[in-house]
Amino acid sequence: MKPKDDRYILKAIIRVSRYIIIISMIAVVCLFLLIISLFNNSPPATAIVPENQTANHQTVIAKAVNTNPVADIWKAPDVATIPKGKTGDMIRYGRELLAHTANYLGPKGSIAYFSNGMNCQNCHLDGGSRIFGNNYAGFIASYPKMSNRSGKVEPASERIAECFERSLAGRSPDTNGREIQAMLAYMKWLGQNVKKGKPLYGTATEKLPYLNYAADPLKGKAVYVSMCKKCHGANGEGLLAADKSSYIYPPLWGNHSYNDGAGMYRLGNFAGFVKDNMPFGATYQNPQLTNEQAWNVAAFVNSQPRPHRDQHNDWQNLKNKPIDAPFGPYADKFSQQQHKYGPFKPIKDAQTETATKKS
């Protein structure tokens, strides 16, 4: 090879090397900019919010995770701390009764037949210890208290009796008997550090913002089929356990579900409950339903047949009647249909206006 050819090849190699270096530098800069962009556009780890959540639910999460000190969020005591002896035995028995009510007090119960086959834990999740899962945190501390529904001051035992008669669509055991007293012992242990009147975060169910229109049972059926049917059955029948005396997943309508006098038959209670807990795996921090889906599936489930309870003695003072109480009479001019499915905001606004005028 001639010297001139050698110089030509050398110059070509140098030119190619320069191009490779320039292209590599550009690629590194682009990668760096991409990484910076991703970090700038991502929410902080404590504020990750699923896309299907509303502004209201984002506020709930921010309150729970970012602004509330840990002491403000109630935490159930460890079951390992249940004391020994007779007191502990009653607490453990009460916990067992609440978790597996049907095995003891259901249609095939080992003690007696008082309930429809559901368990208290079906509506009071994790033995009444879950945030926004109808927990028992402040239950004992709040009683005795005036019940607007019955119109009288009630002890805690009477409230449990009402659950047997409504949510469990049956009849109540003796409120002075061992079973009710054991349930009370467990609830007292569970809320041992809660003082009367102390504000608690995450009790009962979340109050979702009202829709601007009525909840739609037909749209709710689509939600049920895609998100709920696999556990609760095509006909809301639930899934029986192998012993046929209790349910793995409870029935949502029919003869063995809650009756129309239960708290879950009020749309606001059901919607808040499913939003934060259903389908299986959902939590108040990571829900799987939008607010609209929760309202609609609540409307669908509560449009299905279930046992009826005579409620003519409920809410004697109509001014105290909840706006989503599904049966009349009412203190306003809105229809029973609107009180059941909404829209609820006009009812609420009318109540507020009436109260303002009187004050």
Side-chain angles (χ1 to χ4, degrees), residues 53-124:
Q53 294 200 44
T54 63
N56 175 75
H57 214 73
Q58 292 175 13
T59 301
V60 169
I61 292 175
K63 181 179 179 183
V65 179
N66 297 329
T67 62
N68 269 17
V70 175
D72 286 348
I73 303 177
W74 176 78
K75 184 178 180 181
D78 191 331
V79 294
T81 65
I82 295 176
K84 297 180 180 180
K86 292 183 178 179
T87 299
D89 290 341
M90 281 291 279
I91 293 170
R92 278 183 284 272
Y93 183 44
R95 181 170 180 263
E96 172 66 13
L97 286 168
L98 291 164
H100 304 106
T101 318
N103 290 338
Y104 299 92
L105 303 170
K108 297 181 180 179
S110 60
I111 296 176
Y113 177 11
F114 284 106
S115 68
N116 61 358
M118 292 178 67
N119 301 315
C120 298
Q121 187 171 247
N122 294 144
C123 296
H124 302 277

Side-chain angles (χ1 to χ4, degrees), residues 211-247:
L211 300 176
N212 294 323
Y213 40 85
D216 189 334
L218 188 59
K219 290 181 178 178
K221 181 178 181 180
V223 176
Y224 182 86
V225 170
S226 64
M227 306 288 277
C228 316
K229 174 183 172 181
K230 60 185 177 183
C231 291
H232 296 285
N235 299 306
E237 70 275 19
L239 179 63
L240 273 171
D243 60 11
K244 304 297 182 182
S245 65
S246 62
Y247 288 92

Side-chain angles (χ1 to χ4, degrees), residues 34 42 45 59 70 76 104 151 158 166 169 174 182 191 199 208 214 235 265 275 282 312 319 329 348 352:
L34 177 62
S42 297
T59 301
V70 175
Y104 299 92
E158 183 62 26
R166 296 169 184 266
D174 179 3
L208 300 183
N235 299 306
Y265 197 60
K275 173 64 186 289
H312 75 275
K319 295 177 183 178
K348 186 67 175 179
T352 302

Side-chain angles (χ1 to χ4, degrees), residues 85-289:
K86 292 183 178 179
T87 299
D89 290 341
M90 281 291 279
I91 293 170
R92 278 183 284 272
Y93 183 44
R95 181 170 180 263
E96 172 66 13
L97 286 168
L98 291 164
H100 304 106
T101 318
N103 290 338
Y104 299 92
L105 303 170
K108 297 181 180 179
S110 60
I111 296 176
Y113 177 11
F114 284 106
S115 68
N116 61 358
M118 292 178 67
N119 301 315
C120 298
Q121 187 171 247
N122 294 144
C123 296
H124 302 277
L125 303 180
D126 298 339
S129 67
R130 187 185 295 188
I131 299 296
F132 284 126
N134 267 333
N135 63 59
Y136 299 127
F139 180 77
I140 294 297
S142 66
Y143 281 89
K145 70 177 181 182
M146 170 61 73
S147 167
N148 288 326
R149 183 167 64 185
S150 68
K152 61 183 182 181
V153 176
E154 293 183 347
S157 58
E158 183 62 26
R159 184 66 187 88
I160 295 176
E162 290 177 354
C163 279
F164 270 92
E165 295 166 354
R166 296 169 184 266
S167 298
L168 298 180
R171 57 193 179 90
S172 174
D174 179 3
T175 54
N176 293 314
R178 184 167 181 259
E179 281 62 47
I180 296 293
Q181 292 304 308
M183 292 178 179
L184 290 170
Y186 169 69
M187 293 173 182
K188 182 178 180 181
W189 171 82
L190 202 61
Q192 59 189 274
N193 296 318
V194 177
K195 296 180 180 178
K196 191 176 184 66
K198 177 183 178 181
L200 292 173
Y201 176 80
T203 58
T205 58
E206 184 188 351
K207 303 306 177 186
L208 300 183
Y210 297 133
L211 300 176
N212 294 323
Y213 40 85
D216 189 334
L218 188 59
K219 290 181 178 178
K221 181 178 181 180
V223 176
Y224 182 86
V225 170
S226 64
M227 306 288 277
C228 316
K229 174 183 172 181
K230 60 185 177 183
C231 291
H232 296 285
N235 299 306
E237 70 275 19
L239 179 63
L240 273 171
D243 60 11
K244 304 297 182 182
S245 65
S246 62
Y247 288 92
I248 297 174
Y249 301 112
L252 296 185
W253 63 86
N255 292 332
H256 294 281
S257 187
Y258 56 88
N259 65 35
D260 58 15
M264 279 295 185
Y265 197 60
R266 288 173 47 197
L267 224 61
N269 290 340
F270 194 106
F273 181 82
V274 297
K275 173 64 186 289
D276 292 329
N277 300 289
M278 300 294 155
F280 185 78
T283 67
Y284 75 97
Q285 295 153 312
N286 294 290
Q288 297 181 32
L289 300 177

